[in-house]
């Protein structure tokens, strides 16, 4: 999708703590923007598991765009999580 719009985008596969690795990579690459997804966890699960997107929003050295899942997917996931 980005290529069709002539937008330079890169995908990386890194090992380690995702929060730190993502923030370090954006700094090393001098990224203009970081785009991350949100799993749409509830408040309790997010508090227990932590949120990578929330961490990046507070620690990344560039602007960040957090993409939330569509409402239908979030509702369906909550039904199956019970």
């Amino acid at each position: 999708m980005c290529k069709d719009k002539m937008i330079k985008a890169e995908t990386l596969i890194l090992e380690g703590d995702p929060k730190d690795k993502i923030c370090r990579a954006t700094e090393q690459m001098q990224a203009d923007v970081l785009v991350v997804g949100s799993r749409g966890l509830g408040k309790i699960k997010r508090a227990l598991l932590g949120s990578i997107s929330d961490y990046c929003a507070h620690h990344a050295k560039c602007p960040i765009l957090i993409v939330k899942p569509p409402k239908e997917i979030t509702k369906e996931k909550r039904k199956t999580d019970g």
Side-chain angles (χ1 to χ4, degrees):
M1 184 185 333
C2 290
K3 187 177 179 182
D4 293 340
K5 305 275 186 196
M6 296 179 17
I7 297 170
K8 182 182 174 188
E10 294 186 43
T11 303
L12 300 175
I13 299 173
L14 304 169
E15 289 186 28
D17 180 30
K19 297 180 283 195
D20 291 328
K21 291 290 184 174
I22 292 169
C23 289
R24 282 192 196 143
T26 58
E27 200 169 343
Q28 290 171 350
M29 297 171 66
Q30 298 179 342
D32 294 324
V33 67
L34 170 62
V35 180
V36 294
S38 171
R39 294 183 290 173
L41 298 177
K43 291 179 184 179
I44 295 172
K45 283 187 181 180
R46 186 172 49 242
L48 292 173
L49 298 174
S51 168
I52 294 169
S53 57
D54 184 61
Y55 180 90
C56 291
H58 290 93
H59 294 90
K61 304 288 185 200
C62 65
I64 178 170
L65 174 64
I66 300 172
V67 181
K68 295 185 178 188
K71 288 182 182 182
E72 349 25 282
I73 292 174
T74 305
K75 288 178 186 176
E76 225 16 72
K77 186 174 184 211
R78 286 187 185 146
K79 286 180 187 175
T80 59
D81 285 349

